[in-house]
Each structure stands twice: as structure tokens, then as C-alpha cells.
Amino acid sequence: MKILVTGGTGFIGKALLPHFNHEHLVVLSRNPNRAYQQLGHHIKVITCLDELPDFNDIDVVINLAGEPIVNKRWSDRQKEVICQSRWDITRKLVEKIKASTNPPHTFISGSAVGIYGDQKSASFDESLEVNNADFAHLVCRKWEEEALAAQSEKTRVCLLRTGIVLAKQGGALARMLPAYQLGLGGPIGSGEQYFPWIHMQDMVKGILFLLKHPEASGAYNFTAPNPVTNKEFSQTLARVLHRPHILKTPAWLLKMGLGESSTLLLDSQRALPGRLQEQGFHFSFPKLEHALEETLS
């Protein structure tokens, strides 16, 4: 099987690619030297999709590329970077898929639970349809629309609506750890907003599950089956680290510091992985405390 991956040197990509050691891997990267150093020399690195005349000999495309959405304040310029880093590469991949006479049989493309917007305390699965003007929703909706254009009798499309991925190296948890290790951690805002999370091992395992099940297509929530509030998450993290849990960050301070991007931390998404579980996927880490203990051990 030949697999093309975008975002292979990113947070999830670096965890996923070692599981394809015996596959023929092609990775799209702007920095080939870094890609080879991080991923090994058994892969082929391309810097532009035009280096592939077509996708006729590609079996699977996994699209994980995209500017991190939480690293910087959302200026107009940064919003443009966030959007185009997702939409443009997805559109180009779809064009290549549609132009191939023997296209890849599977296209797995990223998205996020941000597509659902703020749902307060209501739980929901992939059947929830939302249409609002939130930036995160608009980014994800257009991202998914671009990817779904590849759907055909020859190509199935799976969308990864990802929550907060837990791993020690990188992602939201790595940014939170220093404060918690100093005993300065605590809930954000009211703490009542739901925090959809997933262990990195289940993230990778879920992608492999979709690859192995040709009947799988459409949107999938990549979130653990037991979402918790931000307060519960914060208390559990402090307990696992054996640190005090006495401080909190007021919403007004977060909004002042982060502006519009503070919605990523203050919005509530009690997202459930309905379709993954219905199709037989079993989570290795369904409960938060076990997930954090394993991650931080």
C-alpha cells in the first residue's frame, strides 16, 4: 500500500507515521531535511504536489496539514494563514484525486470539534448540524466541504473532527504542564465548559481503524467517550501531578490576552464519538485520569 501524508512532521503526523514502517510512504514537507531527521530515511519526501504527475499509484491520502490554530492571537492576517493552510492544500489534493483515472481508495482529512461551536452542557454526536458565524466553525466547515468534494464511487472520504489530543510532547497539554508543575494550574473561566479530549494513542489507533474498515466514511468525532468539564480536567491534571489546585483564570483576562481565539478555551463541546463506537472501535483510554497517568508517566 502506498500512502501520501501531508502534515507528517506535525503533532499527530509524527505519532502516526511510525505505524506505517512497512508501507511505501510519501510525505509532503517544505523542509525535507527536517522530515528525514524526524521520520527516517525509509520515506520519500516531496516539497510540492506537482512532483507527483497524478495519484494513480497512491492508495491512501491522509491530510493532516494546517497552521496551529491556538499558537497566536487571531489577527486578520493570522486568520487568513489558518484558513488557507487548510483549505488550499485540501483543494489541491482533491484536484489530484479527481484528475486520476485510478484514484486513491481512501482520503482521510482533518477537521476539529470546533465545527460545532459552543454547545453549553448538551452532549452530541456527529449527527448534530450547526450553522453559525464563529471563526472556528467557518474554518472547519469549509475545510470539510473541500475534502468531501473527493467523494466518489472510487474514493471514500473520512473526516477527523478532533478534540484536544493528549500527549506529553506537543499540543495543548504540553503548554499547560509548566504552570501545573509549579502549582499554578486551575480552571479557565467558569470551568463548566466541556473539554473534549482524546489520548494520542487512541487518535492514532482511530485513524488506523478507519483505514482498515472500507465501509467507514463521513465525519467522525475523535474524542474520548467521557468528556469532562474544564474544571474536572484541571482538577484531575493537578491530582495526577500531585500539585495544588487553587488558582483560576478569569474569562475576562483570557479574552483580554487572547482576543477572539479565547473562544477555543471558553466554548463548550460535550462531543461524543458516536460513529466510531457504533462501528466497533474500542478506546484504550476512555477515562481521563488513566489517560493523563499514562501520558505523564
Side-chain angles (χ1 to χ4, degrees):
M1 185 160 62
K2 191 169 183 179
I3 303 172
L4 169 65
V5 182
T6 71
T9 58
F11 178 47
I12 296 171
K14 284 188 292 187
L16 174 66
L17 262 60
H19 293 268
F20 297 138
N21 272 340
H22 302 294
E23 312 291 348
H24 188 173
L25 280 173
V26 181
V27 174
L28 178 67
S29 174
R30 289 172 295 184
N31 190 331
N33 288 335
R34 183 180 66 179
Y36 283 124
Q37 288 173 358
Q38 292 183 356
L39 304 174
H41 288 269
H42 64 287
I43 65 172
K44 175 182 179 180
V45 177
I46 59 174
T47 59
C48 175
L49 287 178
D50 289 339
E51 292 180 41
L52 299 175
D54 53 53
F55 285 0
N56 285 331
D57 63 343
I58 301 289
D59 300 296
V60 174
V61 177
I62 302 176
N63 179 29
L64 303 174
E67 170 79 6
I69 199 167
V70 296
N71 281 9
K72 299 177 182 177
R73 193 180 178 96
W74 287 349
S75 64
D76 289 344
R77 170 60 185 153
Q78 184 61 14
K79 282 185 175 182
E80 183 70 14
V81 171
I82 288 169
C83 291
Q84 298 311 322
S85 67
R86 289 160 171 76
W87 302 345
D88 285 359
I89 185 62
T90 304
R91 187 178 302 121
K92 290 173 182 176
L93 289 169
V94 170
E95 288 172 356
K96 284 278 191 180
I97 290 171
K98 294 174 74 173
S100 300
T101 55
N102 183 37
H105 58 71
T106 301
F107 180 37
I108 296 177
S109 191
S111 184
V113 293
I115 195 169
Y116 298 112
D118 185 7
Q119 296 299 321
K120 309 301 181 188
S121 62
S123 62
F124 58 87
D125 61 15
E126 298 89 349
S127 63
L128 178 67
E129 295 186 9
V130 176
N131 188 7
N132 60 40
D134 292 349
F135 176 65
H137 168 78
L138 295 175
V139 172
C140 293
R141 188 178 71 186
K142 176 70 171 175
W143 197 8
E144 292 189 2
E145 288 173 351
E146 294 286 356
L148 287 170
Q151 185 82 37
S152 72
E153 291 183 357
K154 294 182 178 180
T155 303
R156 64 185 173 110
V157 178
C158 297
L159 304 170
L160 312 177
R161 292 180 175 173
T162 306
I164 305 298
V165 182
L166 302 183
K168 193 171 185 178
Q169 306 299 326
L173 183 60
R175 288 191 292 275
M176 296 166 67
L177 276 178
Y180 279 82
Q181 289 168 332
L182 292 171
L184 302 176
I188 295 170
S190 70
E192 297 305 311
Q193 68 274 29
Y194 273 83
F195 205 66
W197 63 274
I198 186 171
H199 190 285
M200 178 63 89
Q201 185 173 314
D202 282 326
M203 183 75 213
V204 169
K205 183 178 165 185
I207 294 173
L208 298 176
F209 177 87
L210 295 181
L211 277 177
K212 293 172 183 174
H213 288 76
E215 73 280 6
S217 67
Y220 290 84
N221 288 344
F222 269 62
T223 58
N226 295 289
V228 297
T229 63
N230 176 263
K231 183 177 180 180
E232 290 175 272
F233 186 94
S234 181
Q235 289 173 330
T236 306
L237 178 56
R239 183 167 64 249
V240 168
L241 291 170
H242 306 291
R243 295 293 188 270
H245 185 261
I246 55 177
L247 300 178
K248 67 180 296 184
T249 304
W252 66 264
L253 183 61
L254 202 67
K255 291 176 182 177
M256 185 172 68
L258 297 178
E260 188 182 356
S261 64
S262 64
T263 59
L264 293 174
L265 299 172
L266 296 172
D267 284 356
S268 179
Q269 285 133 1
R270 197 175 180 180
L272 301 175
R275 299 195 67 224
L276 275 176
Q277 291 189 303
E278 287 168 6
Q279 294 180 10
F281 181 77
H282 296 284
F283 284 81
S284 297
F285 298 94
K287 298 289 184 69
L288 178 63
E289 187 157 2
H290 184 205
L292 287 174
E293 286 172 346
E294 195 283 335
T295 300
L296 301 175
S297 61

